[in-house]
Amino acid sequence: MAATGNKDIAAVLQEYADLLAITGGDAFKARAYERAARAVGGHPAELAGLGAKALTDIPGVGKSIAGKVAEYLRTGTVTEIDELRERIPAGVRELTRVPALGPRKALLLHDELGISSVDELAEAIEGQRLRGLKGFGPKTEEKLLHGIGLLKASGERAPLDTATELAERITAALAGVEGCERCAYAGSLRRMRETVGDIDVLAAAQDSGPLMEAFVALPVTAEVIARGTTKTSIRTTDGIQVDLRVVAPDSWGAAMQYFTGSREHNIRTREIARRRGLKLSEYSLSRVKSGRRVAAEREEDVYEHLGLPWIPPVLREDRGEIEAARDGELPELVTEGDLRGDLHTHTDLTDGLGTLEEMARAAADRGFTYYAVTDHAPDLRMQRMTKAKILAQREQVRALDGTLGKRRGGLRLLHGTELNIDPDGEVDWPADFLAGFDLCVASVHSHFDLPRAAMTRRLVKAAGNPHVHVIGHPTARMLGKRGGIDADWDEVFEACAHSRTALEINAQPHRLDLPDELILRARRHGVLFSIDSDAHSVPDLAQLRYGVGTARRGWVTKAEVINTWTLTRLRAFLRRG
């Protein structure tokens, strides 16, 4: 059996929870397996090396679940899951992948109408065949069609974290092949797009043979799509296509520029080259008349001979970067190293997996100056938050403050909360209680389908609350599962700029919210940002890199991000209410 990682085990436990829900099994048991799946996926150590006692020490993993994990690690399968699979009609599980379609309704569609695929569901909606079923009116049909669109769009593209981790494993393996002088990924992944189609890997070598041999022999290779001397394509075990191109070392810079894209950016650079009597290709920048190479080995030289400074890949979308580069106005983009802290995180007091001390210690290990704990407030009722619980946590925060980490003065801890913005724009807890928190993040967690005007009023009112410092994951989107809420964003941005309320750039790969196109608009209003992990486990803290990438795509600078500021300046901002 192939090596099994925590994500594989988490997927099996989540599947068991889904199967229980579809078959009408114990709802509490299904939720227990969902929680265990999250705990396993976020566990810092590989489960394959743990004994039975260590497995049950993981929060949410009891003796029965640990037994299934052990069975899966030993045999590659779980008997109870296999039995449940056999009980479910073909196609029903595919239907449950559609956002807004739960397992019970999926089973009803199969039993009553014989629908067993997403395409059949779309056809049935178009033919109005669902309208005779209880619970399937025109509004439900509209939501299902929207969900089908999201599913199909996401099914063709990989999430940013999945693509990045895969590309990094592949490039690391190929970099060790004899004769490989350079290896890196390019394409939309290098530009940090929120989802990625194919992964483009570029390598420099005099002889491509050993690299192609190593590439097709990688453990992640499930299928060789095409094989040649300069380009080979595989499909991985996750279904992602990866293209490897091998170029001569002295063409590296031109190839990186070409294969990074975007298409629109490359059209502009080729136009500039043509006006200068040059030709730009994946091999070189050369003179049209003589064919003499002008630049090829370094990407910086290619841009320099086009009369431009090097343009960061994240900006190469033909959204004004050519003009800014020409005029010397490219921004100095924020970097992950600029972040002094994280202002939106969770612990096991609500839906997180790590304890307060575990999360804070991991933050200290990352070299942060400060770190905010922002567990959910009571209006998210499944978290069962109370004033007594949050005040007890505050005492723990104060006791740990300054005691962790090697930095002088220790990691400074901020006690915060993530509030819920209700449909009227109100938040949990009265003003006098909110005044006791160091930091309040306020987010939309429900009523995602309010009309545009009502949604706009909702966000504007929350932004105007003097105790709200940050609007969390502002569009509330879930990539591939739920589109963003509909609001007049320019009005929201203007309100945030006026009240000095920061907008979050949430780094969770399934959120990346605000999206880069809205970040660009928000910047024009003078909005401030907070790049946060929204971590629910220790490994989640590392996902800040994706939030930084999204911020950079939105042209964000260090000065515009409140968690790049010194603690003194940040505290002054937080006291503004």
Side-chain angles (χ1 to χ4, degrees):
M1 189 180 74
T4 303
N6 289 3
K7 287 188 177 180
D8 300 314
I9 301 167
V12 169
L13 296 178
Q14 182 59 54
E15 180 186 6
Y16 190 51
D18 294 340
L19 293 172
L20 285 171
I22 293 170
T23 56
D26 187 332
F28 290 101
K29 187 175 181 181
R31 282 198 289 273
Y33 274 85
E34 284 182 354
R35 178 171 173 78
R38 290 179 44 246
V40 164
H43 194 64
E46 288 296 328
L47 268 64
L50 300 182
K53 173 65 170 64
L55 285 175
T56 56
D57 286 341
I58 299 171
V61 178
K63 195 171 182 179
S64 175
I65 296 174
K68 290 181 177 62
V69 171
E71 181 184 357
Y72 181 69
L73 288 170
R74 187 175 64 254
T75 67
T77 187
V78 178
T79 303
E80 286 186 41
I81 292 179
D82 290 341
E83 292 172 353
L84 277 177
R85 284 172 180 156
E86 292 177 4
R87 290 173 52 189
I88 297 172
V92 173
R93 289 179 63 209
E94 181 186 349
L95 292 177
T96 61
R97 294 170 56 220
V98 177
L101 184 61
R104 300 286 176 85
K105 284 190 173 182
L107 195 58
L108 178 65
L109 289 172
H110 178 273
D111 291 346
E112 296 294 327
L113 300 176
I115 296 171
S116 59
S117 74
V118 175
D119 288 339
E120 288 178 6
L121 175 59
E123 291 174 6
I125 294 171
E126 295 294 343
Q128 299 186 0
R129 291 172 54 209
L130 274 59
R131 297 198 175 180
L133 296 178
K134 184 179 179 181
F136 288 92
K139 286 187 176 180
T140 302
E141 291 176 344
E142 185 179 336
K143 288 181 180 179
L144 290 176
L145 284 175
H146 181 64
I148 290 170
L150 288 172
L151 178 64
K152 289 189 173 182
S154 66
E156 298 168 0
R157 300 182 67 82
L160 181 59
D161 60 329
T162 300
T164 300
E165 291 167 13
L166 174 61
E168 288 177 344
R169 290 202 306 273
I170 291 174
T171 54
L174 295 180
V177 174
E178 186 175 357
C180 179
E181 296 191 19
R182 304 185 75 166
C183 188
Y185 53 82
S188 58
L189 181 56
R190 189 179 179 218
R191 304 197 314 274
M192 297 287 284
R193 289 283 302 273
E194 60 196 28
T195 58
V196 175
D198 302 339
I199 296 175
D200 296 295
V201 174
L202 202 63
Q206 298 292 354
D207 179 7
S208 66
L211 278 163
M212 297 307 186
E213 289 289 341
F215 184 53
V216 299
L218 289 171
V220 297
T221 301
E223 173 191 3
V224 179
I225 300 169
R227 184 168 180 175
T229 56
T230 60
K231 178 185 175 184
T232 293
S233 300
I234 65 168
R235 195 173 311 283
T236 70
T237 50
D238 290 333
I240 301 172
Q241 181 173 326
V242 185
D243 300 327
L244 170 64
R245 291 176 173 85
V246 181
V247 301
D250 61 0
S251 289
W252 175 261
M256 280 298 285
Q257 196 282 329
Y258 183 88
F259 289 113
T260 294
S262 67
R263 177 177 176 272
E264 293 77 12
H265 177 85
N266 284 356
I267 288 172
R268 295 291 307 280
T269 55
R270 287 198 296 271
E271 286 175 354
I272 295 170
R274 182 173 48 80
R275 290 197 299 269
R276 289 173 168 248
L278 302 169
K279 179 184 178 182
L280 179 59
S281 70
E282 64 266 44
Y283 305 109
S284 68
L285 179 67
S286 57
R287 298 203 178 279
V288 173
K289 289 184 178 180
S290 66
R292 185 175 67 84
R293 278 185 164 204
V294 173
E297 192 169 352
R298 297 176 68 250
E299 201 177 37
E300 293 86 348
D301 293 340
V302 172
Y303 279 101
E304 182 181 348
H305 282 85
L306 294 176
L308 301 170
W310 180 79
I311 298 175
V314 288
L315 299 185
R316 300 180 196 176
E317 301 288 353
D318 192 24
R319 297 193 291 201
E321 73 277 5
I322 298 288
E323 292 76 10
R326 182 193 62 209
D327 298 337
E329 296 177 353
L330 280 176
E332 187 171 339
L333 301 175
V334 65
T335 68
E336 189 174 358
D338 291 329
L339 299 185
R340 295 174 184 261
D342 195 337
L343 301 181
H344 180 179
T345 69
H346 298 272
T347 74
D348 60 355
L349 182 62
T350 54
D351 59 345
L353 301 174
T355 65
L356 169 61
E357 184 169 353
E358 287 169 344
M359 297 297 289
R361 192 174 297 281
D365 290 343
R366 293 182 67 83
F368 286 154
T369 302
Y370 47 81
Y371 181 76
V373 178
T374 55
D375 276 313
H376 288 288
D379 283 357
L380 207 61
R381 289 182 176 82
M382 71 281 288
Q383 306 304 338
R384 300 179 180 178
M385 179 56 76
T386 64
K387 285 185 176 181
K389 285 182 179 180
I390 202 74
L391 290 175
Q393 184 187 66
R394 184 173 298 168
E395 292 302 313
Q396 289 181 283
V397 168
R398 300 298 184 240
L400 278 174
D401 182 30
T403 67
L404 302 174
K406 298 178 181 178
R407 182 183 293 275
R408 183 180 178 183
L411 177 71
R412 303 312 306 269
L413 295 177
L414 303 174
H415 190 232
T417 183
E418 184 181 11
L419 304 167
N420 307 282
I421 305 174
D422 76 12
D424 295 322
E426 299 290 349
V427 297
D428 323 59
W429 284 320
D432 59 344
F433 193 73
L434 292 179
F437 288 99
D438 298 318
L439 167 73
C440 292
V441 177
S443 310
V444 170
H445 291 113
S446 64
H447 299 84
F448 304 112
D449 55 357
L450 289 183
R452 181 183 179 88
M455 190 67 79
T456 303
R457 287 194 300 271
R458 178 186 194 180
L459 292 171
V460 168
K461 185 171 183 178
N465 187 316
H467 298 290
V468 171
H469 304 100
V470 180
I471 301 295
H473 44 75
T475 77
R477 72 173 184 176
M478 301 282 276
L479 288 167
K481 296 182 179 180
R482 183 175 70 224
I485 56 180
D486 185 21
D488 182 336
W489 289 108
D490 289 303
E491 186 175 339
V492 173
F493 298 153
E494 187 62 35
C496 288
H498 178 73
S499 64
R500 298 278 288 174
T501 302
L503 286 169
E504 182 176 68
I505 301 174
N506 189 293
Q508 288 288 319
H510 61 273
R511 288 193 185 275
L512 298 179
D513 185 10
L514 277 177
D516 57 67
E517 63 274 12
L518 285 180
I519 294 172
L520 285 165
R521 285 170 59 183
R523 288 187 71 244
R524 292 197 288 270
H525 291 272
V527 169
L528 293 169
F529 302 96
S530 180
I531 303 174
D532 301 318
S533 69
D534 193 1
H536 286 66
S537 67
V538 167
D540 285 353
L541 293 172
Q543 294 179 340
L544 273 171
R545 64 190 294 198
Y546 304 118
V548 172
T550 301
R552 288 168 62 85
R553 284 182 57 79
W555 296 51
V556 173
T557 65
K558 175 181 176 180
E560 297 170 289
V561 180
I562 64 172
N563 51 323
T564 68
W565 297 352
T566 64
L567 180 59
T568 299
R569 184 181 177 191
L570 177 65
R571 285 193 185 278
F573 170 81
L574 297 176
R575 287 195 299 266
R576 88 223 184 300

